[in-house]
Amino acid sequence: MSALSRTVLDVTSFISAEEFVLTQNRGEAPLDPFARQCYAEVVQSLIFFDEVLVPHPTRLDPRPEDYGPQPRMLQFLFELGIVRPLTFTSTDATVLDSAERALFDTLESKGAVLLSSYIDTTTSCDREQQSAGATRTMLEKIASWSNFQDGKVRQATLARSLRYEARARVKQIVYQAHPVRRDFCITFDLVDGGASDQEILDVIRQIRGIHHPASGPAAPARTGTSAPRRTAVDLKRAGPPSR
């Protein structure tokens, strides 16, 4: 019998998905710029995965009521048993504590590099997408999302995605970060793995659907014994880097 397919979605994805449903029912445009995307991702996860698990921001053995009454969509899915809290045993907690300590050590030593790389990469990709005709940049969407989230969820920070990913890895489950957190989460993995600025930019370009024009200059050949570039998919499959 094959193993169950599982994925982890965080609470903010359900908040954005609910915003899409509610505004569609009212015939209005959603205030959350990621609402439609999150709705699609939540629905696809419910269809294609046997289990959809949701981490609690602070509790390791949460019950549905620990997540609060909002978003109502999440509570309804909990009641139906379609979505379940992500929980940890005492043995898991020991492993998780080690993983989170390593995470915080990395943030302390490489946090400035991470933030700088994330901002530079986001700005660069925004410029490329604007040149291709995009009407809204990621930075503009992040600003709109932050305004929408005010009052919806406390401490909806980018860095929280790193804790959620650590928890998912301990359980050996793929974590699907909210779109606003996704680039940050992947940038962290790449910075922690020693990727160059250009490698990070190339991966984020792929994720955001930006392709080099065929007539552009060819990428320089890689020489020496350095490791080949890891894609976002490789990162998710490989698990946490060895320390």
Side-chain angles (χ1 to χ4, degrees):
M1 187 166 134
S2 60
L4 292 176
S5 60
R6 302 186 294 172
T7 190
V8 171
L9 295 175
D10 61 47
V11 174
T12 49
S13 291
F14 290 92
I15 293 173
S16 293
E18 182 176 89
E19 168 71 359
F20 178 75
V21 173
L22 295 177
T23 53
Q24 286 294 295
N25 289 341
R26 296 194 298 263
E28 301 171 357
L31 297 176
D32 183 342
F34 300 102
R36 180 186 295 272
Q37 181 177 348
C38 284
Y39 173 76
E41 291 181 358
V42 168
V43 171
Q44 289 171 359
S45 296
L46 294 175
I47 292 172
F48 293 111
F49 287 91
D50 297 315
E51 290 185 343
V52 176
L53 304 166
V54 183
H56 189 277
T58 57
R59 296 178 182 270
L60 296 182
D61 189 23
R63 298 169 297 177
E65 56 266 32
D66 293 326
Y67 293 78
Q70 302 293 334
R72 288 174 290 175
M73 173 187 285
L74 179 59
Q75 285 299 325
F76 182 62
L77 293 172
F78 277 148
E79 290 175 11
L80 293 176
I82 299 174
V83 172
R84 297 192 300 109
L86 178 65
T87 59
F88 296 86
T89 65
S90 57
T91 302
D92 291 333
T94 301
V95 178
L96 180 59
D97 181 63
S98 176
E100 290 190 343
R101 280 202 310 270
L103 165 65
F104 294 136
D105 288 345
T106 301
L107 282 175
E108 184 175 335
S109 62
K110 300 181 180 179
V113 175
L114 166 65
L115 187 58
S116 175
S117 180
Y118 172 70
I119 293 173
D120 290 347
T121 301
T122 301
T123 302
S124 178
C125 289
D126 279 351
R127 287 172 181 161
E128 291 188 57
Q129 291 188 312
Q130 278 184 309
S131 298
T135 56
R136 297 190 71 186
T137 68
M138 177 62 77
L139 289 176
E140 289 172 340
K141 289 181 179 180
I142 291 173
S144 297
W145 177 79
S146 297
N147 291 334
F148 167 75
Q149 288 287 356
D150 186 26
K152 292 285 184 179
V153 62
R154 291 176 292 178
Q155 298 178 341
T157 62
L158 293 174
R160 179 166 288 177
S161 64
L162 304 180
R163 169 172 281 183
Y164 289 157
E165 182 172 36
R167 293 182 178 188
R169 283 180 172 178
V170 167
K171 286 290 193 178
Q172 298 183 328
I173 308 173
V174 172
Y175 166 53
Q176 298 184 66
H178 184 283
V180 81
R181 293 168 163 164
R182 194 162 298 154
D183 290 1
F184 183 82
C185 197
I186 292 171
T187 299
F188 174 86
D189 282 340
L190 290 167
V191 168
D192 193 32
S196 69
D197 290 343
Q198 185 60 50
E199 287 175 322
I200 293 170
L201 180 58
D202 287 346
V203 171
I204 300 302
R205 276 193 182 121
Q206 292 179 37
I207 293 169
R208 290 178 59 174
I210 301 171
H211 305 287
H212 294 290
S215 59
R222 296 178 63 85
T223 59
T225 59
S226 58
R229 188 185 69 201
R230 301 180 299 169
T231 66
V233 174
D234 293 330
L235 287 168
K236 296 301 181 186
R237 289 176 177 168
S242 59
R243 297 183 184 274

